mmCIF file with all atom_site columns, all heavy atoms in Angstrom:
data_model
loop_
_atom_site.group_PDB
_atom_site.id
_atom_site.type_symbol
_atom_site.label_atom_id
_atom_site.label_alt_id
_atom_site.label_comp_id
_atom_site.label_asym_id
_atom_site.label_entity_id
_atom_site.label_seq_id
_atom_site.pdbx_PDB_ins_code
_atom_site.Cartn_x
_atom_site.Cartn_y
_atom_site.Cartn_z
_atom_site.occupancy
_atom_site.B_iso_or_equiv
_atom_site.pdbx_formal_charge
_atom_site.auth_seq_id
_atom_site.auth_comp_id
_atom_site.auth_asym_id
_atom_site.auth_atom_id
_atom_site.pdbx_PDB_model_num
ATOM 1   N N   . VAL A 1 122 ? -26.318 146.416 89.084  1.00 0.00 ? 407 VAL A N   1
ATOM 2   C CA  . VAL A 1 122 ? -25.694 147.469 89.865  1.00 0.00 ? 407 VAL A CA  1
ATOM 3   C C   . VAL A 1 122 ? -25.892 148.798 89.126  1.00 0.00 ? 407 VAL A C   1
ATOM 4   O O   . VAL A 1 122 ? -25.510 149.036 88.052  1.00 0.00 ? 407 VAL A O   1
ATOM 5   C CB  . VAL A 1 122 ? -24.174 147.233 90.012  1.00 0.00 ? 407 VAL A CB  1
ATOM 6   C CG1 . VAL A 1 122 ? -23.563 148.387 90.876  1.00 0.00 ? 407 VAL A CG1 1
ATOM 7   C CG2 . VAL A 1 122 ? -23.885 145.904 90.709  1.00 0.00 ? 407 VAL A CG2 1
ATOM 8   N N   . GLN A 1 123 ? -26.671 149.682 89.765  1.00 0.00 ? 408 GLN A N   1
ATOM 9   C CA  . GLN A 1 123 ? -26.942 150.956 89.252  1.00 0.00 ? 408 GLN A CA  1
ATOM 10  C C   . GLN A 1 123 ? -25.942 151.953 89.813  1.00 0.00 ? 408 GLN A C   1
ATOM 11  O O   . GLN A 1 123 ? -25.865 152.187 91.045  1.00 0.00 ? 408 GLN A O   1
ATOM 12  C CB  . GLN A 1 123 ? -28.431 151.362 89.620  1.00 0.00 ? 408 GLN A CB  1
ATOM 13  C CG  . GLN A 1 123 ? -28.829 152.784 89.243  1.00 0.00 ? 408 GLN A CG  1
ATOM 14  C CD  . GLN A 1 123 ? -28.848 153.058 87.731  1.00 0.00 ? 408 GLN A CD  1
ATOM 15  O OE1 . GLN A 1 123 ? -28.704 152.191 86.926  1.00 0.00 ? 408 GLN A OE1 1
ATOM 16  N NE2 . GLN A 1 123 ? -29.026 154.272 87.396  1.00 0.00 ? 408 GLN A NE2 1
ATOM 17  N N   . ILE A 1 124 ? -25.113 152.571 88.949  1.00 0.00 ? 409 ILE A N   1
ATOM 18  C CA  . ILE A 1 124 ? -24.079 153.503 89.414  1.00 0.00 ? 409 ILE A CA  1
ATOM 19  C C   . ILE A 1 124 ? -24.764 154.871 89.552  1.00 0.00 ? 409 ILE A C   1
ATOM 20  O O   . ILE A 1 124 ? -25.053 155.549 88.550  1.00 0.00 ? 409 ILE A O   1
ATOM 21  C CB  . ILE A 1 124 ? -22.956 153.571 88.385  1.00 0.00 ? 409 ILE A CB  1
ATOM 22  C CG1 . ILE A 1 124 ? -22.330 152.171 88.165  1.00 0.00 ? 409 ILE A CG1 1
ATOM 23  C CG2 . ILE A 1 124 ? -21.843 154.514 88.939  1.00 0.00 ? 409 ILE A CG2 1
ATOM 24  C CD1 . ILE A 1 124 ? -21.743 151.482 89.354  1.00 0.00 ? 409 ILE A CD1 1
ATOM 25  N N   . SER A 1 125 ? -24.949 155.271 90.843  1.00 0.00 ? 410 SER A N   1
ATOM 26  C CA  . SER A 1 125 ? -25.585 156.578 91.049  1.00 0.00 ? 410 SER A CA  1
ATOM 27  C C   . SER A 1 125 ? -24.568 157.535 91.669  1.00 0.00 ? 410 SER A C   1
ATOM 28  O O   . SER A 1 125 ? -23.344 157.318 91.634  1.00 0.00 ? 410 SER A O   1
ATOM 29  C CB  . SER A 1 125 ? -26.826 156.392 91.864  1.00 0.00 ? 410 SER A CB  1
ATOM 30  O OG  . SER A 1 125 ? -27.559 157.560 92.033  1.00 0.00 ? 410 SER A OG  1
ATOM 31  N N   . THR A 1 126 ? -25.067 158.535 92.271  1.00 0.00 ? 411 THR A N   1
ATOM 32  C CA  . THR A 1 126 ? -24.294 159.640 92.785  1.00 0.00 ? 411 THR A CA  1
ATOM 33  C C   . THR A 1 126 ? -24.759 160.204 94.073  1.00 0.00 ? 411 THR A C   1
ATOM 34  O O   . THR A 1 126 ? -25.964 160.199 94.361  1.00 0.00 ? 411 THR A O   1
ATOM 35  C CB  . THR A 1 126 ? -24.194 160.721 91.645  1.00 0.00 ? 411 THR A CB  1
ATOM 36  O OG1 . THR A 1 126 ? -23.665 161.949 92.191  1.00 0.00 ? 411 THR A OG1 1
ATOM 37  C CG2 . THR A 1 126 ? -25.608 161.082 91.106  1.00 0.00 ? 411 THR A CG2 1
ATOM 38  N N   . ASP A 1 159 ? -32.576 155.840 89.982  1.00 0.00 ? 444 ASP A N   1
ATOM 39  C CA  . ASP A 1 159 ? -32.407 155.049 91.232  1.00 0.00 ? 444 ASP A CA  1
ATOM 40  C C   . ASP A 1 159 ? -33.778 154.485 91.697  1.00 0.00 ? 444 ASP A C   1
ATOM 41  O O   . ASP A 1 159 ? -33.915 153.342 92.081  1.00 0.00 ? 444 ASP A O   1
ATOM 42  C CB  . ASP A 1 159 ? -31.935 155.953 92.388  1.00 0.00 ? 444 ASP A CB  1
ATOM 43  C CG  . ASP A 1 159 ? -30.412 156.231 92.348  1.00 0.00 ? 444 ASP A CG  1
ATOM 44  O OD1 . ASP A 1 159 ? -29.853 156.061 91.231  1.00 0.00 ? 444 ASP A OD1 1
ATOM 45  O OD2 . ASP A 1 159 ? -29.946 156.659 93.382  1.00 0.00 ? 444 ASP A OD2 1
ATOM 46  N N   . VAL A 1 174 ? -28.914 146.620 93.130  1.00 0.00 ? 459 VAL A N   1
ATOM 47  C CA  . VAL A 1 174 ? -28.155 147.322 94.185  1.00 0.00 ? 459 VAL A CA  1
ATOM 48  C C   . VAL A 1 174 ? -27.740 148.724 93.617  1.00 0.00 ? 459 VAL A C   1
ATOM 49  O O   . VAL A 1 174 ? -27.365 148.837 92.425  1.00 0.00 ? 459 VAL A O   1
ATOM 50  C CB  . VAL A 1 174 ? -26.813 146.554 94.514  1.00 0.00 ? 459 VAL A CB  1
ATOM 51  C CG1 . VAL A 1 174 ? -26.156 147.203 95.703  1.00 0.00 ? 459 VAL A CG1 1
ATOM 52  C CG2 . VAL A 1 174 ? -27.147 145.128 94.858  1.00 0.00 ? 459 VAL A CG2 1
ATOM 53  N N   . ILE A 1 175 ? -27.817 149.713 94.475  1.00 0.00 ? 460 ILE A N   1
ATOM 54  C CA  . ILE A 1 175 ? -27.515 151.083 94.034  1.00 0.00 ? 460 ILE A CA  1
ATOM 55  C C   . ILE A 1 175 ? -26.178 151.529 94.727  1.00 0.00 ? 460 ILE A C   1
ATOM 56  O O   . ILE A 1 175 ? -26.042 151.337 95.978  1.00 0.00 ? 460 ILE A O   1
ATOM 57  C CB  . ILE A 1 175 ? -28.557 152.117 94.476  1.00 0.00 ? 460 ILE A CB  1
ATOM 58  C CG1 . ILE A 1 175 ? -29.932 151.630 94.141  1.00 0.00 ? 460 ILE A CG1 1
ATOM 59  C CG2 . ILE A 1 175 ? -28.296 153.521 93.984  1.00 0.00 ? 460 ILE A CG2 1
ATOM 60  C CD1 . ILE A 1 175 ? -30.459 151.913 92.790  1.00 0.00 ? 460 ILE A CD1 1
ATOM 61  N N   . THR A 1 176 ? -25.248 152.075 94.012  1.00 0.00 ? 461 THR A N   1
ATOM 62  C CA  . THR A 1 176 ? -24.098 152.740 94.635  1.00 0.00 ? 461 THR A CA  1
ATOM 63  C C   . THR A 1 176 ? -24.241 154.240 94.417  1.00 0.00 ? 461 THR A C   1
ATOM 64  O O   . THR A 1 176 ? -24.554 154.736 93.328  1.00 0.00 ? 461 THR A O   1
ATOM 65  C CB  . THR A 1 176 ? -22.771 152.277 93.987  1.00 0.00 ? 461 THR A CB  1
ATOM 66  O OG1 . THR A 1 176 ? -22.757 152.601 92.605  1.00 0.00 ? 461 THR A OG1 1
ATOM 67  C CG2 . THR A 1 176 ? -22.584 150.820 94.117  1.00 0.00 ? 461 THR A CG2 1
ATOM 68  N N   . ARG A 1 177 ? -23.903 154.934 95.461  1.00 0.00 ? 462 ARG A N   1
ATOM 69  C CA  . ARG A 1 177 ? -23.937 156.467 95.402  1.00 0.00 ? 462 ARG A CA  1
ATOM 70  C C   . ARG A 1 177 ? -22.526 156.987 95.796  1.00 0.00 ? 462 ARG A C   1
ATOM 71  O O   . ARG A 1 177 ? -22.208 156.947 97.027  1.00 0.00 ? 462 ARG A O   1
ATOM 72  C CB  . ARG A 1 177 ? -25.005 157.055 96.289  1.00 0.00 ? 462 ARG A CB  1
ATOM 73  C CG  . ARG A 1 177 ? -26.400 156.704 95.788  1.00 0.00 ? 462 ARG A CG  1
ATOM 74  C CD  . ARG A 1 177 ? -27.464 157.323 96.574  1.00 0.00 ? 462 ARG A CD  1
ATOM 75  N NE  . ARG A 1 177 ? -28.764 157.020 95.950  1.00 0.00 ? 462 ARG A NE  1
ATOM 76  C CZ  . ARG A 1 177 ? -29.909 156.851 96.629  1.00 0.00 ? 462 ARG A CZ  1
ATOM 77  N NH1 . ARG A 1 177 ? -29.904 156.921 97.993  1.00 0.00 ? 462 ARG A NH1 1
ATOM 78  N NH2 . ARG A 1 177 ? -31.075 156.488 96.037  1.00 0.00 ? 462 ARG A NH2 1
ATOM 79  N N   . CYS A 1 178 ? -21.808 157.407 94.785  1.00 0.00 ? 463 CYS A N   1
ATOM 80  C CA  . CYS A 1 178 ? -20.421 157.792 95.024  1.00 0.00 ? 463 CYS A CA  1
ATOM 81  C C   . CYS A 1 178 ? -20.261 159.348 95.011  1.00 0.00 ? 463 CYS A C   1
ATOM 82  O O   . CYS A 1 178 ? -21.045 160.048 94.341  1.00 0.00 ? 463 CYS A O   1
ATOM 83  C CB  . CYS A 1 178 ? -19.512 157.169 93.966  1.00 0.00 ? 463 CYS A CB  1
ATOM 84  S SG  . CYS A 1 178 ? -17.822 157.369 94.318  1.00 0.00 ? 463 CYS A SG  1
ATOM 85  N N   . HIS A 1 223 ? -13.263 153.967 93.749  1.00 0.00 ? 508 HIS A N   1
ATOM 86  C CA  . HIS A 1 223 ? -14.684 153.819 93.422  1.00 0.00 ? 508 HIS A CA  1
ATOM 87  C C   . HIS A 1 223 ? -14.909 152.482 92.768  1.00 0.00 ? 508 HIS A C   1
ATOM 88  O O   . HIS A 1 223 ? -15.809 151.713 93.110  1.00 0.00 ? 508 HIS A O   1
ATOM 89  C CB  . HIS A 1 223 ? -15.108 154.982 92.539  1.00 0.00 ? 508 HIS A CB  1
ATOM 90  C CG  . HIS A 1 223 ? -16.579 154.969 92.080  1.00 0.00 ? 508 HIS A CG  1
ATOM 91  N ND1 . HIS A 1 223 ? -17.050 155.768 91.155  1.00 0.00 ? 508 HIS A ND1 1
ATOM 92  C CD2 . HIS A 1 223 ? -17.551 154.142 92.463  1.00 0.00 ? 508 HIS A CD2 1
ATOM 93  C CE1 . HIS A 1 223 ? -18.338 155.529 90.929  1.00 0.00 ? 508 HIS A CE1 1
ATOM 94  N NE2 . HIS A 1 223 ? -18.671 154.537 91.731  1.00 0.00 ? 508 HIS A NE2 1
ATOM 95  N N   . ALA A 1 226 ? -14.844 149.495 94.900  1.00 0.00 ? 511 ALA A N   1
ATOM 96  C CA  . ALA A 1 226 ? -16.128 149.408 95.640  1.00 0.00 ? 511 ALA A CA  1
ATOM 97  C C   . ALA A 1 226 ? -17.185 148.781 94.780  1.00 0.00 ? 511 ALA A C   1
ATOM 98  O O   . ALA A 1 226 ? -17.991 147.937 95.267  1.00 0.00 ? 511 ALA A O   1
ATOM 99  C CB  . ALA A 1 226 ? -16.498 150.759 96.112  1.00 0.00 ? 511 ALA A CB  1
ATOM 100 N N   . VAL A 1 227 ? -17.231 149.164 93.482  1.00 0.00 ? 512 VAL A N   1
ATOM 101 C CA  . VAL A 1 227 ? -18.266 148.570 92.556  1.00 0.00 ? 512 VAL A CA  1
ATOM 102 C C   . VAL A 1 227 ? -18.086 147.098 92.444  1.00 0.00 ? 512 VAL A C   1
ATOM 103 O O   . VAL A 1 227 ? -19.013 146.351 92.448  1.00 0.00 ? 512 VAL A O   1
ATOM 104 C CB  . VAL A 1 227 ? -18.196 149.349 91.234  1.00 0.00 ? 512 VAL A CB  1
ATOM 105 C CG1 . VAL A 1 227 ? -19.074 148.628 90.193  1.00 0.00 ? 512 VAL A CG1 1
ATOM 106 C CG2 . VAL A 1 227 ? -18.593 150.790 91.346  1.00 0.00 ? 512 VAL A CG2 1
ATOM 107 N N   . VAL A 1 230 ? -19.353 145.469 95.569  1.00 0.00 ? 515 VAL A N   1
ATOM 108 C CA  . VAL A 1 230 ? -20.849 145.598 95.617  1.00 0.00 ? 515 VAL A CA  1
ATOM 109 C C   . VAL A 1 230 ? -21.450 144.539 94.579  1.00 0.00 ? 515 VAL A C   1
ATOM 110 O O   . VAL A 1 230 ? -22.407 143.872 94.895  1.00 0.00 ? 515 VAL A O   1
ATOM 111 C CB  . VAL A 1 230 ? -21.351 146.990 95.265  1.00 0.00 ? 515 VAL A CB  1
ATOM 112 C CG1 . VAL A 1 230 ? -22.841 147.011 94.881  1.00 0.00 ? 515 VAL A CG1 1
ATOM 113 C CG2 . VAL A 1 230 ? -21.037 147.921 96.425  1.00 0.00 ? 515 VAL A CG2 1
ATOM 114 N N   . VAL A 1 239 ? -28.790 150.247 99.171  1.00 0.00 ? 524 VAL A N   1
ATOM 115 C CA  . VAL A 1 239 ? -28.012 151.413 98.623  1.00 0.00 ? 524 VAL A CA  1
ATOM 116 C C   . VAL A 1 239 ? -26.674 151.453 99.385  1.00 0.00 ? 524 VAL A C   1
ATOM 117 O O   . VAL A 1 239 ? -26.717 151.253 100.618 1.00 0.00 ? 524 VAL A O   1
ATOM 118 C CB  . VAL A 1 239 ? -28.775 152.725 98.861  1.00 0.00 ? 524 VAL A CB  1
ATOM 119 C CG1 . VAL A 1 239 ? -27.932 153.929 98.450  1.00 0.00 ? 524 VAL A CG1 1
ATOM 120 C CG2 . VAL A 1 239 ? -30.077 152.719 98.115  1.00 0.00 ? 524 VAL A CG2 1
ATOM 121 N N   . TYR A 1 240 ? -25.611 151.643 98.673  1.00 0.00 ? 525 TYR A N   1
ATOM 122 C CA  . TYR A 1 240 ? -24.258 151.827 99.368  1.00 0.00 ? 525 TYR A CA  1
ATOM 123 C C   . TYR A 1 240 ? -23.642 153.151 98.956  1.00 0.00 ? 525 TYR A C   1
ATOM 124 O O   . TYR A 1 240 ? -23.427 153.381 97.764  1.00 0.00 ? 525 TYR A O   1
ATOM 125 C CB  . TYR A 1 240 ? -23.334 150.670 98.971  1.00 0.00 ? 525 TYR A CB  1
ATOM 126 C CG  . TYR A 1 240 ? -23.861 149.317 99.478  1.00 0.00 ? 525 TYR A CG  1
ATOM 127 C CD1 . TYR A 1 240 ? -24.614 148.514 98.612  1.00 0.00 ? 525 TYR A CD1 1
ATOM 128 C CD2 . TYR A 1 240 ? -23.531 148.902 100.737 1.00 0.00 ? 525 TYR A CD2 1
ATOM 129 C CE1 . TYR A 1 240 ? -25.048 147.286 99.084  1.00 0.00 ? 525 TYR A CE1 1
ATOM 130 C CE2 . TYR A 1 240 ? -23.999 147.620 101.197 1.00 0.00 ? 525 TYR A CE2 1
ATOM 131 C CZ  . TYR A 1 240 ? -24.751 146.815 100.359 1.00 0.00 ? 525 TYR A CZ  1
ATOM 132 O OH  . TYR A 1 240 ? -25.247 145.634 100.808 1.00 0.00 ? 525 TYR A OH  1
ATOM 133 N N   . ASN A 1 241 ? -23.350 153.967 99.895  1.00 0.00 ? 526 ASN A N   1
ATOM 134 C CA  . ASN A 1 241 ? -22.615 155.169 99.647  1.00 0.00 ? 526 ASN A CA  1
ATOM 135 C C   . ASN A 1 241 ? -21.130 154.881 99.520  1.00 0.00 ? 526 ASN A C   1
ATOM 136 O O   . ASN A 1 241 ? -20.593 154.032 100.305 1.00 0.00 ? 526 ASN A O   1
ATOM 137 C CB  . ASN A 1 241 ? -22.719 156.141 100.843 1.00 0.00 ? 526 ASN A CB  1
ATOM 138 C CG  . ASN A 1 241 ? -24.065 156.941 100.837 1.00 0.00 ? 526 ASN A CG  1
ATOM 139 O OD1 . ASN A 1 241 ? -24.834 156.778 99.904  1.00 0.00 ? 526 ASN A OD1 1
ATOM 140 N ND2 . ASN A 1 241 ? -24.352 157.640 101.918 1.00 0.00 ? 526 ASN A ND2 1
ATOM 141 N N   . ILE A 1 242 ? -20.422 155.589 98.669  1.00 0.00 ? 527 ILE A N   1
ATOM 142 C CA  . ILE A 1 242 ? -18.956 155.394 98.457  1.00 0.00 ? 527 ILE A CA  1
ATOM 143 C C   . ILE A 1 242 ? -18.304 156.785 98.519  1.00 0.00 ? 527 ILE A C   1
ATOM 144 O O   . ILE A 1 242 ? -18.715 157.709 97.787  1.00 0.00 ? 527 ILE A O   1
ATOM 145 C CB  . ILE A 1 242 ? -18.714 154.748 97.136  1.00 0.00 ? 527 ILE A CB  1
ATOM 146 C CG1 . ILE A 1 242 ? -19.434 153.420 96.975  1.00 0.00 ? 527 ILE A CG1 1
ATOM 147 C CG2 . ILE A 1 242 ? -17.210 154.581 96.872  1.00 0.00 ? 527 ILE A CG2 1
ATOM 148 C CD1 . ILE A 1 242 ? -19.486 152.849 95.567  1.00 0.00 ? 527 ILE A CD1 1
#
Side-chain angles (χ1 to χ4, degrees):
V407 181
Q408 172 66 7
I409 305 297
S410 186
T411 166
D444 283 18
V459 185
I460 312 274
T461 61
R462 292 185 179 146
C463 189
H508 179 188
V512 171
V515 165
V524 174
Y525 295 93
N526 284 351
I527 302 166

